[in-house]
Amino acid sequence: MTRPISVQLYTVRQALAEDRDAVLRRIAESGYRAVEPFDPTTDPKGFRQVVDDLGLSVSSTHASALLRMEPAEVFDAAATIGTDLVIVPAGIAHEEFTTRDGLARAADLLNGLAEQAAGHGMRIGYHNHWWEIEPRVDGRHALEALADLLAPEVFLQIDTYWAAVGGADVPALLGRLGERVLTLHVKDGPVVKGEPHTAVGQGVMPVPAILAAAPGAWRVVELDECAGDVFAALADSHAYLTSLERS
């Protein structure tokens, strides 16, 4: 991989709220060279200044604000922080992923946002949890059925851990989705709902096989909850992923 390993800043959300600049500095010192914010609209100019000073790039950004704010404001903020990949991480009702009509409504929403994003030089992505994987629609994971309804410019960010929790064979799923997948959330743990995550490489996820199934996708580490020190887990995750790239 030529792209630097990124980290979803939701992982360190509590520390980030207390001292953003110190947290970003600590992430850079752990070896990361890219980050993925979860709200680009919070002081985008100040955020960009800090990441530039630290030599960090912005791989992409989550933006649930797209569903509650004027999209143009969100796209302008994304441009300011330095990315053109804007991802909807949640906000569509779980029930929409249980029927074909619900999937059609979800696709219409994402396709409409993609049209607006294109006018700002941006692309829209969608990030899954378990509830887009567990339901079956026409014999396939709901997310796969959704993908067929999305405009070509809409990409997917596959959260590999939640896909496994939802019952997917993750490498096989990635193989079927192919180039639709631009980024991966790489995480590890026991693959049990409600249990904390571990550093990548210290759980039961088949990480090497997952990465091999999507060789061109940007790797973004995320630990929703962590039983131990989250910064140590992030450092261990980076070290493990770096070792895989070298092997």
Side-chain angles (χ1 to χ4, degrees):
M1 286 291 295
T2 57
R3 291 170 172 167
I5 300 167
S6 184
V7 57
Q8 166 53 243
L9 294 178
Y10 184 78
T11 304
V12 290
R13 57 197 177 276
Q14 294 175 337
L16 200 72
E18 296 172 3
D19 193 336
R20 178 196 67 188
D21 296 5
V23 168
L24 291 172
R25 187 178 308 110
R26 192 166 181 183
I27 286 172
E29 290 171 351
S30 296
Y32 290 93
R33 293 293 174 264
V35 293
E36 181 182 69
F38 57 89
D39 180 9
T41 65
T42 300
D43 186 23
K45 291 182 180 179
F47 181 88
R48 177 64 178 271
Q49 182 64 55
V50 176
V51 295
D52 282 353
D53 289 346
L54 292 170
L56 296 169
S57 61
V58 177
S59 58
S60 45
T61 185
H62 279 194
S64 58
L66 279 171
L67 303 182
R68 64 176 187 270
M69 293 176 59
E70 175 58 43
E73 296 180 34
V74 180
F75 297 137
D76 287 346
T80 298
I81 66 173
T83 185
D84 60 0
L85 302 179
V86 183
I87 299 165
V88 176
I92 300 175
H94 300 190
E95 294 76 17
E96 296 288 66
F97 298 95
T98 62
T99 66
R100 278 182 285 180
D101 286 346
L103 291 176
R105 287 189 291 269
D108 286 346
L109 172 63
L110 294 169
N111 291 341
L113 288 171
E115 287 185 13
Q116 296 180 66
H120 295 263
M122 302 275 162
R123 290 187 66 183
I124 288 293
Y126 184 74
H127 168 278
N128 67 281
H129 292 79
W130 60 266
W131 57 81
E132 301 94 342
I133 303 294
E134 195 170 78
R136 294 274 180 160
V137 177
D138 296 333
R140 297 185 298 161
H141 297 296
L143 186 67
E144 295 181 79
L146 174 67
D148 288 346
L149 302 174
L150 295 174
E153 59 270 22
V154 180
F155 68 93
L156 295 175
Q157 177 180 75
I158 297 301
D159 187 307
T160 59
Y161 190 86
W162 286 120
V165 169
D169 177 330
V170 181
L173 174 66
L174 292 170
R176 292 192 298 271
L177 292 172
E179 294 183 358
R180 176 75 76 172
V181 181
L182 291 192
T183 74
L184 299 177
H185 266 196
V186 183
K187 57 182 71 169
D188 213 340
V191 191
V192 176
K193 293 177 187 175
E195 292 294 322
H197 298 152
T198 68
V200 178
Q202 297 179 16
V204 302
M205 291 290 289
V207 177
I210 287 169
L211 301 184
W218 205 320
R219 285 80 163 103
V220 183
V221 174
E222 182 187 38
L223 308 174
D224 297 29
E225 301 289 344
C226 186
D229 180 79
V230 68
F231 288 100
L234 283 178
D236 289 346
S237 298
H238 188 276
Y240 174 73
L241 291 173
T242 300
S243 73
L244 291 182
E245 290 179 359
R246 292 172 178 167
S247 63

